[in-house]
Each structure stands twice: as C-alpha cells, then as structure tokens.
Amino acid sequence: MTMEASAEPVLEQADGQVAAKPVRRRIRPRDVRWIRAAAELVGTFLICAVIYLSYSFGQLVMGQPSVVLPVLGTALTYLVVTAMLGGVSGGHFNPAVTVAAMFTSQISMVDGLIYIVAQVIGAIGAGALAVALIPVSKSVPDRTWLMFSVNGFSGGSPAAATLGQQHIAFGAPMAIVVELIGCMIVVAAAITTLRSDGRARRNHALYTGLAYGVGVLVTYPITCSGLNPARSTGIAIFAQSKHMAVSPISQLWLFWICPLLAASLVALVIIMTSIITDNMAMRAMGAATDAQLVVQVDADAQAQAQADAFAPGAQAQAGPDAQAEAFAPAGAQAQGQSAQASSAPVQTPVADTTDTAAPADTTAQTVDVSSLSDSDAEQDADAGKDAVAPANAGTIPDLQVEPLHTASETEDNSDDQSEDKPTEG
C-alpha cells in the first residue's frame, strides 16, 4: 500500500519557458504516524487473540496441559504477524519493546506513547473477543477456560492446582525472576534487529518469533507467559468478573514492572556498549592520527635537514673554503682563483726579438688571430709591452693573451737578427 502526493501543476513564465517541474514524492505507510499506530493496534490484536484462544481451547480440549502448544503457537504467531506488519511500524506489538526503543532513540517519545496506547487498545479488543467466543455451561464455567490464558502466580499460576496437592506454590519471587529473564530475551532480540531509525531488519520477524518461543518455554508453567504487558492487561480486564481463584487485576503489577524493568536493563546495556565502543574507536583513531603526525614530522625534519645541507646559504655559512671546494661549480672555483691572482699586479712579458715566443699556458684559452691585420697586430704588441694584464672579470678562468706575432713582424725580426750577425768571409 503506497500513497502518492503531487505538487502544483507545471508553471510557465512569460517567455514560455518552464519555471517549475511537477514533483511527485512517494509517501510510504511508514511516513504517516497514524498508519504506524494502526499497524501496532492491528498486530497486537491479532497476536493476543490467537494467544488467548489457543491457550484456552487447546489446553482444555487436549485434557492434559502441555507447554509444547503454547511455545509453538506463540512463536509462530509473533513471527507471522511481525513479518506482515513489521515493515510499517517496526513490529513492536509490546510496550516493553517500545520503551526500550524510546530509550535507545530508535523511536521518538511521542510515537512511543502512541504505540503503547494502540497496543493496549488492541489487546483489550482481543480479550473482549476471546471472552465472547468462549462457550460456557454450568459444568464448564468461564474461569475453567480462562485459567490457562490469564497471567498470574501463586494461586493464579496454571500449575497451581497440580502443585497445591503437594503443598507447593510458585510465589512472586520466582515469577519475577522468570519474567525478567524471558522479557530480557524478547526485548533484546527485538531491539537488536531494529535499525537506528526504528525500521525492522529482514531477520526481525524470525528472531522475534524465536525469542518469544524461548520466553514461553521458561515462563509458561509459572506465570502462563506474560512477556507482554498489553497481552496481560487485555485478558485480565475481562477475567476480573469471572470469579477466578485469584483476582487478575491484583497481580497485574508484576506483568508490567518486570517487562519495563527488563526493557530498561536491555537499553542500558546497549547504551553503555555503544559508548564504550565509540570511545575505543575514538582512541584508535586518535592513536592512528598521532602516529601519522609523528611520521610526518620526522619526514619533514629529514627533508628540512637535507634542504639545509644543500642550500647555497647554508654552504656560505658553513665556511667559504671547505664548502666552495666541495659544492661550488668548476667555474666558480676558477673565478675565485683568478680573483686571488688578480690581487697582485702582473705585467705581460714583452716580446723579445731575439728569443722565441713563450709557450702558452695550457689553461689559457686559444684565440684565433688569423684575421687580424698587420697594423692591428703591431698595435696589440706595443700595447702589450706597457699594459698590465687585466684581472679576470668573466667566467673564463685566468685568460692570458700572449703577444701576437704576425708574419710581417716575424720577417722584420729575422732581418734584424741577420744584420746584427757578422758576415763571414
């Protein structure tokens, strides 16, 4: 069953363009509060009606009371009804489950109160139906039918007649213990199979049915299996005037206190477990974050140390002599050497006509002067006699230019030498 709501029709602007498109949003039954409450009412009614009738008719007709029929009947009834309506309301059908869901924030307070009212109304309607359908006669009065479906302890227990012959009775302490155990099983199974928003999981119906079967197995011989305050209230109201051995209303308090106390305990355990796991998760995340920060700091420190070791500024601060030799390029070293050499004036040697030209330095750069004219060569030679070699101002290390000797100058020098030598003969 789905409902659909459509928005305003398509609006058009003056220029003919579409201003807004129609929006159609599907409204599910779960989105409407009164539908969820109606599902809880109907589900509780069906469950309680089956329990009342099966407990009364089945046990009396069989003649020998047995726990097998209540266990199977209760488990199958909760399973089927929860599978039918659990997708709408969450499948509580029990005020104890609703209270636990309220404590764990799986349902709001308002919805929880509405659920509880709907559940009680559904159970009362089922009780009225069961009492109306029971056949009554002088030999089989109402109380004979209802003694197997009304919750009670001590004289109101379904085993009271059998135990009374042995002067034994199930008192309130035993009833409280077994009801607490059974209710804790039921509530825990129901709450843990609900999502955080109160929706039922796929296994919610199965686990709920199995939990109620286990609870009935423990509690039926002692209290006729309360486990559900609404279920206990619905039949107790109409059995009050049927001359029961013990007034059902007078013992109804136990079947409200025990389920609600069990719901509170289960909710407390769930909340504490959630807090502990969240704290552990936060600590684990914090430890992982701290470890990452330490690794990052170490990596940054190493990177900074390497950057400082190879930075030009750090090299200059560490000492010009050691680091210049270690890290400076060859051109910078040669420049430093030439700068030191230029501190003392060095004159270029004058070309001697009688001697051969001095060999050029292996480190000096060779200059091609073949294109120079004879006059330029003579000017360069005369200038080289008086001028001092300039210091290195560029990147070429220790550039020293030897005096240039052209072919014409060489011939002149050879002529001078020939004139100085005495002639033979």
Side-chain angles (χ1 to χ4, degrees):
M1 180 177 62
T2 59
M3 301 176 62
E4 294 184 357
S6 59
E8 296 290 335
V10 178
L11 302 178
E12 295 185 358
Q13 297 178 350
D15 55 358
Q17 296 180 356
V18 177
K21 295 182 179 179
V23 179
R24 301 178 65 86
R25 187 174 68 90
R26 296 181 61 185
I27 300 178
R28 297 178 175 84
R30 178 174 174 77
D31 298 332
V32 182
R33 176 176 292 172
W34 67 265
I35 295 179
R36 297 198 303 271
E40 286 291 317
L41 189 150
V42 173
T44 307
F45 172 83
L46 294 176
I47 291 172
C48 292
V50 172
I51 290 175
Y52 298 156
L53 296 175
S54 63
Y55 282 20
S56 299
F57 295 159
Q59 297 289 48
L60 187 61
V61 170
M62 290 177 63
Q64 183 67 30
S66 175
V67 74
V68 176
L69 181 61
V71 169
L72 293 178
T74 305
L76 293 176
T77 302
Y78 273 99
L79 191 154
V80 172
V81 176
T82 304
M84 290 169 49
L85 302 174
V88 179
S89 63
H92 296 189
F93 313 125
N94 188 337
V97 176
T98 303
V99 169
M102 292 166 63
F103 288 161
T104 56
S105 299
Q106 292 174 311
I107 188 175
S108 64
M109 298 294 292
V110 176
D111 288 343
L113 295 176
I114 295 174
Y115 273 28
I116 293 173
V117 173
Q119 292 160 3
V120 173
I121 294 174
I124 292 173
L129 177 64
V131 171
L133 294 177
I134 290 176
V136 179
S137 65
K138 294 182 179 181
S139 59
V140 184
D142 294 337
R143 63 180 183 179
T144 304
W145 294 96
L146 297 176
M147 63 179 298
F148 295 105
S149 59
V150 175
N151 297 129
F153 57 90
S154 188
S157 174
T162 304
L163 296 177
Q165 299 175 2
Q166 306 296 330
H167 305 286
I168 300 173
F170 292 136
M174 183 173 289
I176 291 173
V177 171
V178 296
E179 283 290 327
L180 276 175
I181 294 173
C183 290
M184 289 177 65
I185 294 173
V186 169
V187 174
I191 290 298
T192 54
T193 54
L194 291 178
R195 302 181 186 274
S196 59
D197 58 353
R199 293 184 296 114
R201 300 180 185 271
R202 291 183 178 180
N203 56 0
H204 177 67
L206 177 61
Y207 288 175
T208 299
L210 294 176
Y212 276 103
V214 174
V216 172
L217 182 64
V218 174
T219 60
Y220 182 80
I222 301 172
T223 62
C224 198
S225 298
L227 304 177
N228 188 339
R231 171 256 189 273
S232 301
T233 304
I235 195 65
I237 292 176
F238 296 96
Q240 179 66 26
S241 60
K242 302 302 180 182
H243 307 286
M244 303 294 295
V246 178
S247 173
I249 299 295
S250 65
Q251 295 183 341
L252 190 59
W253 60 271
L254 187 142
F255 300 100
W256 274 92
I257 292 177
C258 289
L260 297 182
L261 180 59
S264 302
L265 293 176
V266 171
L268 179 62
V269 171
I270 293 175
I271 293 172
M272 294 300 297
T273 303
S274 178
I275 293 174
I276 292 173
T277 53
D278 290 344
N279 290 337
M280 293 177 64
M282 292 293 293
R283 290 181 181 180
M285 292 177 61
T289 304
D290 294 341
Q292 292 179 358
L293 289 176
V294 170
V295 173
Q296 184 66 28
V297 169
D298 293 342
D300 293 343
Q302 293 178 1
Q304 186 64 30
Q306 293 178 359
D308 294 341
F310 292 96
Q315 297 173 3
Q317 294 178 357
D321 295 336
Q323 295 188 357
E325 295 177 358
F327 301 101
Q333 296 179 3
Q335 182 178 358
Q337 293 176 0
S338 62
Q340 292 178 359
S342 63
S343 61
V346 179
Q347 296 181 353
T348 304
V350 181
D352 190 0
T353 57
T354 60
D355 298 332
T356 60
D361 190 1
T362 57
T363 60
Q365 182 177 0
T366 304
V367 179
D368 186 7
V369 293
S370 58
S371 62
L372 297 178
S373 62
D374 294 341
S375 60
D376 294 336
E378 292 177 356
Q379 292 177 0
D380 292 338
D382 295 337
K385 294 178 182 179
D386 298 330
V388 179
N392 184 16
T395 58
I396 301 175
D398 298 338
L399 180 62
Q400 298 178 358
V401 181
E402 295 295 330
L404 303 178
H405 301 279
T406 60
S408 61
E409 185 178 359
T410 303
E411 294 176 355
D412 293 339
N413 292 334
S414 62
D415 293 339
D416 295 337
Q417 291 178 359
S418 62
E419 291 176 357
D420 294 337
K421 290 181 180 181
T423 58
E424 296 179 356

